[in-house]
Amino acid sequence: MQTSNKKKKSLDLPTFLISGGALILFVVAALINADFISNMVDTLFGWSATYFGIIYQIVILGTFFIALILAFSKYGKIRLGNIDKPEMSTFKWISIIMCTLLAGGGVFWAAAEPLSHFLEVPPHFSGIENSSPEAVVPALAMSFVDWGFLSWAILGTLGTIVLMYSHYHKGMPLKPRSLLYPIFGEKVVYKSVFGTIVDAFAIISVAAGTIGPIGFLGLQAGYGLSTITNLPNTLTVHIVIIILLVVAAAISAVSGLHRGIQILSSFNVILALALIIGVLILGPGYFIFNHYLEAFGLYVNELIPFSTYRGDEAWLSLWTVFFFAWFIGYGPMMAIFSARISRGRTIRELVVAVAIIAPVVATIWFAVIGGTGIFQELKLPGSISTALNEFGQPAAMMAITEQLPFGLIFSFLFLLATVIFVLTTTDSMSLTISMAISGNGHPPRWLRAFYAMVMGLVAIVLVTLGENSINALQSFIVVTAVPVVFLLLTTFWTAPKAVKDLYENHKNETL
């Protein structure tokens, strides 16, 4: 049963002013003194990676195992959302989950990360020579650590359960602060300064997480267009690409969940599957299958040691801690988005889809793209690494696709997939941020468009930092995750509490 409906349908002005104002202030400050902003972000990055990296690792590991325990316990059959059946089909539901959460990493990092680990073996594997056949499996396995079970679990399991309980079963607004409802009750939800601060930090953090893929896309698409069409790969081109993306994202977000977002997500899942099949048939399919199986086995067997590794903090801040912080930053707002699209699903369905099915698909995607690049580099040293060293991580994908049969077609289709991945993330997060500010599932259209545009502006500022643009994007993401990690830590207690309450209520209703 729901409590009295106090959900606010109007704009939460304080949260809007703090979150939107902070992002705009960042843009203005960068225009006044870009060097100051760059140095500030770098300093805060070093501080947050050093002192909070271990907390990121603990929270992301704990979330996964608690979610599994709840899903496969007696509570797993509890249906969330106060309705008897799901609102959308399983294919559309998982398509939206995959496209929204995979984001720019779906293509940008799937090419760059495995190859980077192959060229420079992670410190976990002492004695293995860089760029050797023995380095293939460790390179793929470490990529799976960053994009596998733990990272996906933080995006849509415990937080989603708590928000669906608070919103659909207890009548609380669809806001990050409702994650604290099982602890503080309604006093944290209504007329609460603390609640406003929680919402604002969650919005800024997910905006940073979305700004990263927007910036990565500008860099990768700029290089890709230069390769395909001989257009100059300049900052101006990067900025134009970002502007076009955010305009399209704003239009899609305004059209709503069941139009633009759903259509784009379904199309991109089909396109991604077609690309996987195409690469396996025309590329090194046998090599990929062999090494994927071994790498996945190594990843599962060493899941806890890999995820809790603390031996080389400098390496961690560039890879595992960065990715964990990125996904943690998405956590509260992705919980809102997952709650919005998962109504009618059981706890078991939710956890299996988000924390098991989606990451397995992601590891296959990384093995196909990254494995192809590693195969090409083994076969002809320098064929990929030269482009990576000279032009940076945005060059990895084009260097890989160019060497496949029908390379021009593959290059164009992978570039298209990248654009749609980032587009679906940007429009979904614009919608979700707007839901958090309005407190309901149908926020004002102008608000959705506003946040898409503001995220694009910040991305433009960060990519203007030249050769340090990727570092700036990564640093910005890690810094903004600091306050959010403590909010997600509360779900270790609130999710089991909410599930137990739902179970008891269901048991009483059936007596």
Side-chain angles (χ1 to χ4, degrees), residues 87 134 155 221 232 276 341:
E87 284 187 316
E134 293 75 26
L155 295 170
I276 287 175
I341 67 173

Side-chain angles (χ1 to χ4, degrees), residues 86-207:
E87 284 187 316
M88 64 176 66
S89 71
T90 299
F91 175 75
K92 289 180 179 178
W93 178 54
I94 293 182
S95 295
I96 293 175
I97 289 172
M98 289 296 308
C99 285
T100 301
L101 307 198
L102 207 52
V107 180
F108 187 98
W109 290 108
E113 184 174 3
L115 192 64
S116 296
H117 293 326
F118 171 71
L119 296 172
E120 189 173 339
V121 178
H124 310 61
F125 305 96
S126 60
I128 294 180
E129 184 181 349
N130 293 339
S131 305
S132 66
E134 293 75 26
V136 178
V137 169
L140 292 174
M142 288 313 302
S143 300
F144 299 167
V145 172
D146 296 339
W147 292 86
F149 300 121
L150 308 187
S151 297
W152 283 85
I154 201 74
L155 295 170
T157 55
L158 300 187
T160 302
I161 290 168
V162 176
L163 274 178
M164 294 186 81
Y165 165 77
S166 300
H167 179 63
Y168 294 114
H169 298 272
K170 296 297 179 180
M172 298 299 105
L174 206 55
K175 295 171 175 278
R177 68 179 72 182
S178 292
L179 285 167
L180 299 174
Y181 167 75
I183 300 175
F184 299 107
E186 293 190 7
K187 63 184 179 182
V188 78
V189 176
Y190 301 110
K191 296 181 180 180
S192 166
V193 174
F194 179 57
T196 298
I197 293 171
V198 167
D199 289 350
F201 274 125
I203 289 170
I204 292 169
S205 188
V206 79

Side-chain angles (χ1 to χ4, degrees), residues 270-437:
I270 295 170
L271 174 60
L273 288 173
L275 287 172
I276 287 175
I277 294 169
V279 171
L280 288 174
I281 293 173
L282 298 174
Y286 182 74
F287 176 89
I288 292 169
F289 277 121
N290 266 1
H291 288 88
Y292 171 76
L293 189 63
E294 190 176 352
F296 190 80
L298 175 63
Y299 162 57
V300 172
N301 191 52
E302 299 293 325
L303 177 65
I304 295 177
F306 283 165
S307 305
T308 56
Y309 172 79
R310 298 293 302 166
D312 187 333
E313 290 192 11
W315 184 91
L316 279 170
S317 67
L318 293 175
W319 295 105
T320 304
V321 166
F322 157 61
F323 284 112
F324 283 4
W326 189 358
F327 292 119
I328 284 169
Y330 266 103
M333 301 304 291
M334 275 309 312
I336 291 176
F337 185 74
S338 298
R340 178 68 179 83
I341 67 173
S342 303
R343 194 175 185 191
R345 298 285 171 181
T346 65
I347 291 173
R348 188 168 299 153
E349 286 175 327
L350 179 69
V351 172
V352 168
V354 174
I356 297 177
I357 294 175
V360 167
V361 174
T363 59
I364 293 171
W365 178 253
F366 267 66
V368 170
I369 298 175
T372 299
I374 291 172
F375 173 82
Q376 292 166 344
E377 184 67 19
L378 272 172
K379 187 178 179 182
L380 182 63
S383 58
I384 311 297
S385 57
T386 299
L388 188 65
N389 292 331
E390 290 183 4
F391 301 103
Q393 291 153 329
M397 174 51 65
M398 289 300 114
I400 292 169
T401 55
E402 280 180 320
Q403 297 183 54
L404 290 168
F406 309 104
L408 185 62
I409 295 174
F410 270 114
S411 296
F412 172 77
L413 291 177
F414 270 107
L415 194 58
L416 177 63
T418 307
V419 171
I420 300 177
F421 270 129
V422 180
L423 180 57
T424 51
T425 299
T426 306
D427 62 12
S428 299
M429 290 304 98
S430 301
L431 173 61
T432 306
I433 290 170
S434 303
M435 288 194 294
I437 290 176

